[in-house]
């Protein structure tokens, strides 16, 4: 797994590899701003996960995830929402599929 120095570096590298959509959590669903659509968490498959240092987060690190939708869109989600509502973030994340 590639090591990144910060969130910006990780996101830039992932975008260059095709993860061009941004996924965020809204009302127990995942929203994609670029496609203007809502997705159920179980429509996402986690392809990769990166942990990067972050002096501004409570834990001292941030996570960025690379997902693929059922319709083959690639996108990025960060764990920033987890600082505001950790239980909802865990609930959504548990519903996402994982690659074997």
């Amino acid at each position: 797994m590639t090591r990144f120095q910060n969130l910006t570096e990780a996101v830039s590298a992932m975008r260059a590899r095709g993860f061009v959509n941004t996924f965020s959590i809204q009302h127990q669903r995942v929203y994609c701003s670029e496609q203007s659509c809502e997705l159920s968490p179980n429509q996402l498959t986690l392809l990769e996960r990166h942990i990067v240092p972050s002096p501004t987060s409570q834990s001292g690190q941030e996570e960025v995830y690379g997902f693929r939708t059922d319709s083959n869109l690639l996108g990025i989600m960060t764990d920033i929402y987890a600082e505001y509502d950790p239980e909802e973030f865990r609930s959504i994340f548990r519903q996402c599929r994982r690659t074997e």
Side-chain angles (χ1 to χ4, degrees):
M1 179 165 61
T2 306
R3 295 260 229 211
F4 299 106
Q5 297 302 310
N6 55 52
L7 186 64
T8 301
E9 184 180 300
V11 168
S12 293
M14 292 175 75
R15 294 249 189 253
R17 290 186 292 109
F19 290 87
V20 296
N21 295 287
T22 305
F23 300 129
S24 60
I25 297 173
Q26 296 181 3
H27 310 293
Q28 288 291 320
R29 294 187 62 83
V30 176
Y31 182 74
C32 177
S33 54
E34 290 81 3
Q35 303 297 319
S36 298
C37 68
E38 283 189 350
L39 302 159
S40 174
N42 62 14
Q43 292 177 280
L44 299 176
T45 300
L46 179 65
L47 301 178
E48 55 187 80
R49 173 182 172 225
H50 304 280
I51 300 171
V52 296
S54 173
T56 59
S57 73
Q58 293 175 1
S59 65
Q61 64 186 25
E62 289 177 288
E63 295 184 36
V64 60
Y65 309 96
F67 287 100
R68 182 183 62 236
T69 68
D70 286 347
S71 58
N72 287 318
L73 296 174
L74 296 177
I76 292 172
M77 182 189 300
T78 67
D79 71 339
I80 292 169
Y81 188 86
E83 291 195 16
Y84 302 104
D85 191 342
E87 191 52 45
E88 183 176 7
F89 181 81
R90 281 191 292 275
S91 172
I92 293 285
F93 199 79
R94 278 192 297 263
Q95 296 175 59
C96 297
R97 293 177 295 205
R98 313 273 192 293
T99 57
E100 296 301 320

